[in-house]
Amino acid sequence: SGENAAQAWVNLERIRYLVQALGDDVDPKSWVAGIDALLAFGLDSDEAEQKLAACSDMTLIASQRMIMAAFLAYPAPDQRGKLCSALFTAICVLEAGIKMNDDQFLLKLYAIRLYLYVSCYDRARALYDTLSIKNIQLDTLGYLLNGNGMSLGCFAADLDLCYDGVSFYDRADAKVPRELESAYEKGTYSNITDFLTFQDNLAHSMQRECTHRCALRGEAFEHGTTKAVLDQWKEADVVSIEHTNESIAALHDNRDVAVMGLQTPVDMEKWNLEILTRSTPLPGSAWIQIFSMVPQIMHCIVCADVELLESKAKDLLAAIDKA
């Protein structure tokens, strides 16, 4: 049937993409060779009008090829402007694909990543909101946008997003004990281990720590009187966010970085579009440690605790050097 033939073509294009990456093909032109046919089928065909899944898949592959070609063509830091111009072309393709099929999750993911890369936070946020990411997805997918707005100066909008994450973690902390109690009452003991594992993963979630630190960072830039800002830092609970090497090592990274629908294995970093399209490095243990120390130092400054300030400042410099 036509649908089977279309899917076979998509599979062939996936194989062709992988073969090029495995062959270490660094010629940008070869990555976009024949792309017109992919776009014609994905965006301007009878099948596209019928919202055939293969058309969205083909549009995604075409956009991935354009993104890869852009990074290969402009790898140097001083070529950032040309790179962003090339990525805008890929964004146009992604937007056209979204317009054809608004339910295509992966097209929106790539559009979000590219909009952040070219510093267009508002459109990235609008697309993110259409994904209806909530509950446990805030822990696995919240990294896609959480904190990126602050890097672009959009503190208020990003802070609202952080509060959504903080509220989820607080609700989960309250809900799991009730679920455990219910499991004991009903005798469904096989569920208890799962609940305990779930509780541990969330309690020691790396994304949870990132969300809380981003929230603190955003609150520091909220508008207010000088007195209000100073009072906020005086009253801030900075003890509960202190980390040791042991507590950092115990964190679980639940973030789903494989959600991007890559055409290559994730360990092929040179060809990994999830890594290439990061607008900022993915926060990790070092980031959490550093942004846990900054609020503590702010607290020391406001409280004029010079002795503790010197100690914390040395710890911060050591953490930065280690990072």
Side-chain angles (χ1 to χ4, degrees):
S1 68
E3 189 171 346
N4 289 336
Q7 192 57 53
W9 185 13
V10 167
N11 292 337
L12 179 62
E13 289 299 329
R14 285 173 174 157
I15 293 171
R16 190 165 73 91
Y17 189 109
L18 177 59
V19 168
Q20 274 189 264
L22 290 172
D24 202 31
D25 185 348
V26 294
D27 180 8
K29 292 182 179 179
S30 69
W31 279 91
V32 291
I35 202 172
D36 289 347
L38 307 189
L39 293 175
F41 176 73
L43 300 173
D44 190 23
S45 64
D46 293 338
E47 291 84 355
E49 291 291 340
Q50 298 166 11
K51 296 186 178 181
L52 200 67
C55 293
S56 293
D57 292 339
M58 199 68 86
T59 303
L60 176 65
I61 294 172
S63 66
Q64 289 172 320
R65 284 189 164 280
M66 295 171 72
I67 296 167
M68 183 56 67
F71 279 100
L72 289 172
Y74 307 111
D78 62 357
Q79 295 176 306
R80 177 67 183 244
K82 292 181 178 179
L83 172 59
C84 288
S85 295
L87 293 178
F88 265 118
T89 306
I91 287 173
C92 291
V93 169
L94 291 165
E95 286 283 17
I98 293 169
K99 186 176 181 180
M100 294 294 295
N101 187 355
D102 189 59
D103 296 328
Q104 232 298 336
F105 182 77
L106 286 175
L107 293 179
K108 292 182 179 181
L109 283 189
Y110 275 92
I112 289 169
R113 295 304 287 268
L114 294 191
Y115 273 121
L116 290 174
Y117 199 93
V118 300
S119 304
C120 295
Y121 178 79
D122 287 347
R123 180 56 182 161
R125 176 62 189 270
L127 287 171
Y128 180 87
D129 288 342
T130 67
L131 298 179
S132 298
I133 291 174
K134 54 188 177 182
N135 298 328
I136 190 61
Q137 290 177 321
L138 291 168
D139 190 54
T140 58
L141 297 178
Y143 76 92
L144 289 168
L145 199 64
N146 199 309
N148 284 278
M150 295 185 192
S151 300
L152 298 173
C154 303
F155 289 95
D158 215 1
L159 184 57
D160 288 341
L161 200 64
C162 290
Y163 285 155
D164 288 342
V166 171
S167 295
F168 158 69
Y169 291 115
D170 289 344
R171 291 195 305 273
D173 287 344
K175 183 178 180 181
V176 172
R178 293 198 299 268
E179 297 288 354
L180 287 170
E181 183 179 350
S182 176
Y184 276 113
E185 291 175 352
K186 295 177 181 178
T188 54
Y189 301 115
S190 59
N191 293 336
I192 293 175
T193 301
D194 292 336
F195 284 135
L196 290 174
T197 301
F198 177 77
Q199 183 181 39
D200 183 65
N201 283 338
L202 281 187
H204 301 95
S205 164
M206 188 169 287
Q207 181 59 30
R208 179 180 188 147
E209 294 298 304
C210 291
T211 300
H212 279 80
R213 299 308 170 270
C214 283
L216 277 174
R217 185 183 179 194
E219 288 174 345
F221 286 91
E222 279 190 305
H223 295 293
T225 64
T226 302
K227 183 179 184 305
V229 173
L230 292 175
D231 287 344
Q232 176 182 327
W233 283 110
K234 282 182 181 179
E235 298 167 4
D237 175 16
V238 295
V239 176
S240 64
I241 65 172
E242 289 191 35
H243 270 293
T244 62
N245 291 334
E246 291 74 20
S247 65
I248 286 288
L251 295 177
H252 299 285
D253 193 352
N254 307 321
R255 295 171 294 191
D256 186 1
V257 295
V259 73
M260 297 287 289
L262 301 175
Q263 307 299 342
T264 57
V266 293
D267 58 353
M268 293 178 64
E269 293 190 6
K270 179 179 178 180
W271 309 99
N272 188 325
L273 291 182
E274 192 281 319
I275 295 175
L276 287 174
T277 58
R278 292 175 184 173
S279 57
T280 58
L282 189 66
S285 299
W287 186 95
I288 293 170
Q289 185 74 290
I290 290 169
F291 278 92
S292 296
M293 292 177 180
V294 170
Q296 296 172 47
I297 288 175
M298 292 294 293
H299 178 74
C300 292
I301 292 172
V302 173
C303 295
D305 190 337
V306 178
E307 184 177 348
L308 186 57
L309 174 60
E310 290 179 352
S311 174
K312 294 294 183 182
K314 289 179 181 178
D315 290 343
L316 176 61
L317 291 174
I320 291 173
D321 289 339
K322 186 177 179 181

